[in-house]
Amino acid sequence: AQIRERLMQIRLDLRRMGEQDRSIMVFSFWPDVIMIKEVGDPVQIAEYLGLDRRELTARIIMAQGRQNTNYAITLYACHPFFLQGISTMTNGENTAFSPIREYLSSRGFEGYSGYQSDSESFTHILHYTVKKLGLDLKAYKHIITPLKDEELEGHSQRDFLNRLKQSCRFLTIDGPNCVIGCLPDKTVF
């Protein structure tokens, strides 16, 4: 836990150092993670950066080659997003972004910051679900898109899911979305 905190703090410190003059951009600071955010044709970017080198290997590659669409164009707002070994990218809309951002920012965890894209909140909600609440990926699904009351009626985990729905109502997204991501244990969803 201390190593996770320190690595995150280093990333945030580096980001702050480079924000004024844009001399440093850092998206992750984590063992075995390379995070590249560029806008354009993925093949051209890979060729330019020399990503075909044999010494670069990965079990998981998450890539999205377009800029953000809802705010001013900045690489910090481009997908994927990363926090302490958890990464997501989404396609869709999250109109509940402001209350989600406010709720997570109020949790007293410095990693819930940045928010130059509404999609970044998906990574933060997943982190909150797994690291702060100690729940699993299935719970994450039920937090961001809870079942309707009538769907819960005959559910085998009705009581738990009702409590989860009520206690995490500030983290419910609003809008159709597709979420792709991975966890520190290399689970991909």
Side-chain angles (χ1 to χ4, degrees):
Q2 289 176 345
I3 292 171
R4 280 196 315 266
E5 292 298 313
R6 190 68 186 124
L7 291 172
M8 180 195 69
Q9 192 60 55
I10 290 169
R11 177 184 62 86
L12 294 173
D13 290 346
L14 288 170
R15 179 176 174 165
R16 278 190 284 273
M17 288 170 55
E19 281 182 336
Q20 286 283 335
D21 62 1
R22 296 183 180 176
S23 61
I24 300 172
M25 295 191 86
V26 58
F27 310 114
S28 67
F29 191 81
W30 202 256
D32 299 327
V33 171
I34 299 171
M35 182 156 296
I36 300 168
K37 294 190 181 194
E38 289 293 338
V39 175
D41 181 304
V43 173
Q44 289 179 343
I45 291 167
E47 288 172 353
Y48 176 77
L49 295 173
L51 298 181
D52 59 347
R53 292 174 285 162
R54 294 206 184 279
E55 65 270 20
L56 293 177
T57 60
R59 287 174 44 193
I60 299 169
I61 297 173
M62 294 174 58
Q64 187 176 53
R66 67 177 180 89
Q67 78 249 8
N68 53 298
T69 54
N70 296 346
Y71 306 98
I73 295 173
T74 171
L75 291 178
Y76 279 118
C78 293
H79 302 238
F81 300 98
F82 184 88
L83 179 59
Q84 293 188 324
I86 293 171
S87 187
T88 67
M89 53 190 181
T90 61
N91 191 19
E93 188 173 341
N94 182 8
T95 58
F97 168 61
S98 292
I100 291 170
R101 178 188 58 208
E102 290 169 20
Y103 179 81
L104 289 171
S105 297
S106 74
R107 303 296 89 192
F109 179 70
E110 194 172 359
Y112 302 146
S113 61
Y115 294 113
Q116 294 192 23
S117 168
D118 60 338
S119 296
E120 190 168 12
S121 61
F122 286 86
T123 303
H124 295 182
I125 295 168
L126 180 56
H127 181 275
Y128 184 75
T129 301
V130 173
K131 299 295 183 184
K132 301 299 181 181
L133 299 179
L135 299 172
D136 61 13
L137 195 53
K138 289 180 183 178
Y140 172 68
K141 179 270 174 239
H142 287 291
I143 288 172
I144 63 173
T145 55
L147 295 175
K148 296 176 184 169
D149 291 340
E150 57 271 13
E151 294 172 316
L152 287 170
E153 283 305 315
H155 199 285
S156 62
Q157 292 186 303
R158 182 185 68 214
D159 293 339
F160 170 73
L161 293 176
N162 267 323
R163 286 192 302 275
L164 190 65
K165 182 178 181 176
Q166 294 305 312
S167 62
C168 294
R169 67 186 176 279
F170 297 113
L171 300 175
T172 301
I173 58 119
D174 182 21
N177 282 280
C178 174
V179 183
I180 299 169
C182 69
L183 297 171
D185 68 0
K186 308 293 187 259
T187 297
V188 176
F189 63 94

